[in-house]
Amino acid sequence: MSYLTSDPNQTENTDTIIRPPYFFISGFIDIPHMKYYYVFLCFVYIISLVNNQVMILPSSPKYIAVFNLAFTDMCGSTALVPKLLDTFLFSRQLISYNQCLASLFFIFLFLTMQSFNLTILSSDRLVAICCPLRYHMVVTHRSMFQLTGAAWMFAGFMVLLGVCLITRLSFCRSLVINSYFCDHGPLFRLASPCSDVVPNTVISYLGPCIVLYFPMVFIISSYICITHALFTITLVRAVKTCTSHLILVAIFYLPINFTNFLHSIIPTNARIINLSLTSVLPPMLNPIIYVLKTEEFKESAKKLLSKRVAQRAVAPVQST
């Protein structure tokens, strides 16, 4: 399908803007037995949904951000994996123009929010360790709701801007998207022979800076401050407090930034495998890491479990 091109008789021409009825998502190229990989992604997706149910236990202001992280993890996986499985397991690689833009919007919206949530959690740890006496004054339910709400609004604006800039492009030649979903970069580059893609190119460079690089710089800077503060407080307790967040940061930022920095020399298949695993593994591992590494969270889970056991024990007695 690499020869698939736009047919002028089938395209929607709106004021000289050529919009094709569909695109073709190429996915992996010449790799045998890839259906097993898609089945693996399906199992990871199911485990991710189950695990993130445990994360939705916001018992303190901090866990409003944890709840938001679990919510975006579930939504992000749901926006990507079911469509990916339908596309490649059942060979439905054609996707309509409107469906492609909708898929692009939701996948990048939840990806952006995953990064912003990790940044919010980093600021929580920064205040907790560097300003412990003011923690409950600064980190309140109201402040966390305002912070997460502002993050959602900014993420929505950024992604919507990228999608709107694509609607002004004409796709008059190839319609093959060299990715595993309607990826922003491979999509707008299809229009480069027919339209001015400079604004889209600017967004493609500005977006990762705002969504990935700036948050990562902030997180690194916050942990430099935390490291400095460790010399004046109990080291073991502080390290235990930050370990879970550092692991989440590493499994989210390192693979995706590695791929972005080296995208020009990484083969297409390697890029797709790396990005697809980055999309599904962090949502599965986040709740496991938080439950195992966070004492407060384990206590919350134990209390909830004990309440449910007590309710089940009381129910038969009341019925008799």
Side-chain angles (χ1 to χ4, degrees):
M1 296 296 293
S2 59
Y3 57 84
L4 188 66
T5 57
S6 178
D7 184 352
N9 296 323
Q10 295 181 346
T11 55
E12 177 186 344
N13 195 316
T14 307
D15 296 330
T16 70
I17 296 178
I18 302 174
R19 294 174 179 171
Y22 55 80
F23 293 101
F24 182 85
I25 301 177
S26 65
F28 296 99
I29 302 172
D30 298 327
I31 299 182
H33 310 298
M34 282 308 300
K35 288 190 175 182
Y36 297 109
Y37 178 70
Y38 299 132
V39 172
F40 164 74
L41 293 182
C42 179
F43 281 111
V44 172
Y45 170 64
I46 294 172
I47 295 172
S48 174
L49 290 182
V50 174
N51 286 349
N52 278 286
Q53 297 297 322
V54 181
M55 294 275 282
I56 306 178
L57 298 170
S59 58
S60 69
K62 169 188 172 182
Y63 290 117
I64 294 174
V66 176
F67 168 86
N68 202 37
L69 179 64
F71 176 74
T72 53
D73 282 347
M74 288 191 295
C75 292
S77 297
T78 303
L80 176 65
V81 177
K83 181 59 181 176
L84 184 149
L85 298 178
D86 179 67
T87 298
F88 297 110
L89 280 181
F90 302 101
S91 300
R92 298 169 181 168
Q93 292 170 261
L94 292 179
I95 183 170
S96 71
Y97 180 88
N98 290 332
Q99 287 179 337
C100 184
L101 294 188
S103 174
L104 185 155
F105 174 81
F106 286 109
I107 289 174
F108 276 91
L109 174 64
F110 296 124
L111 175 67
T112 302
M113 278 308 303
Q114 287 175 352
S115 178
F116 287 172
N117 285 329
L118 291 175
T119 307
I120 292 172
L121 287 171
S122 175
S123 65
D124 172 88
R125 294 300 82 197
L126 178 65
V127 176
I129 293 177
C130 296
C131 306
L133 298 179
R134 300 187 60 190
Y135 177 79
H136 293 290
M137 296 174 57
V138 175
V139 182
T140 63
H141 284 90
R142 181 178 180 179
S143 65
M144 294 302 288
F145 274 123
Q146 289 175 339
L147 199 56
T148 53
W152 274 104
M153 292 175 61
F154 183 66
F157 169 77
M158 279 189 54
V159 178
L160 188 61
L161 177 62
V163 173
C164 289
L165 287 175
I166 287 179
T167 61
R168 52 178 283 279
L169 301 179
S170 291
F171 298 88
C172 61
R173 295 190 182 179
S174 175
L175 301 177
V176 179
I177 301 174
N178 293 319
S179 187
Y180 61 103
F181 71 103
C182 285
D183 201 350
H184 180 259
L187 178 59
F188 83 77
R189 291 188 185 98
L190 295 179
S192 58
C194 323
S195 301
D196 177 18
V197 297
V198 171
N200 306 83
T201 304
V202 171
I203 289 295
S204 71
Y205 285 104
L206 184 62
C209 288
I210 296 175
V211 174
L212 299 175
Y213 307 147
F214 290 167
M216 189 171 65
V217 169
F218 174 81
I219 292 172
I220 292 173
S221 301
S222 68
Y223 274 97
I224 291 175
C225 296
I226 289 171
T227 302
H228 180 267
L230 291 179
F231 292 101
T232 60
I233 63 176
T234 305
L235 179 63
V236 176
R237 184 175 180 180
V239 170
K240 288 177 65 177
T241 303
C242 299
T243 301
S244 58
H245 182 256
L246 281 173
I247 296 174
L248 299 186
V249 169
I251 63 176
F252 178 80
Y253 284 107
L254 292 183
I256 196 169
N257 283 332
F258 175 81
T259 303
N260 284 337
F261 281 131
L262 303 178
H263 72 278
S264 59
I265 62 174
I266 295 179
T268 300
N269 289 333
R271 177 177 61 84
I272 293 176
I273 289 177
N274 195 11
L275 290 179
S276 60
L277 289 177
T278 303
S279 300
V280 297
L281 288 181
M284 181 188 73
L285 296 175
N286 287 349
I288 297 175
I289 293 169
Y290 251 100
V291 170
L292 292 180
K293 292 291 184 179
T294 308
E295 291 296 331
E296 298 171 80
F297 212 93
K298 283 192 279 188
E299 290 299 322
S300 298
K302 289 178 182 178
K303 290 180 181 178
L304 181 64
L305 183 61
S306 62
K307 286 181 180 179
R308 290 184 177 179
V309 172
Q311 289 174 354
R312 290 179 181 178
V314 171
V317 175
Q318 291 178 343
S319 61
T320 56

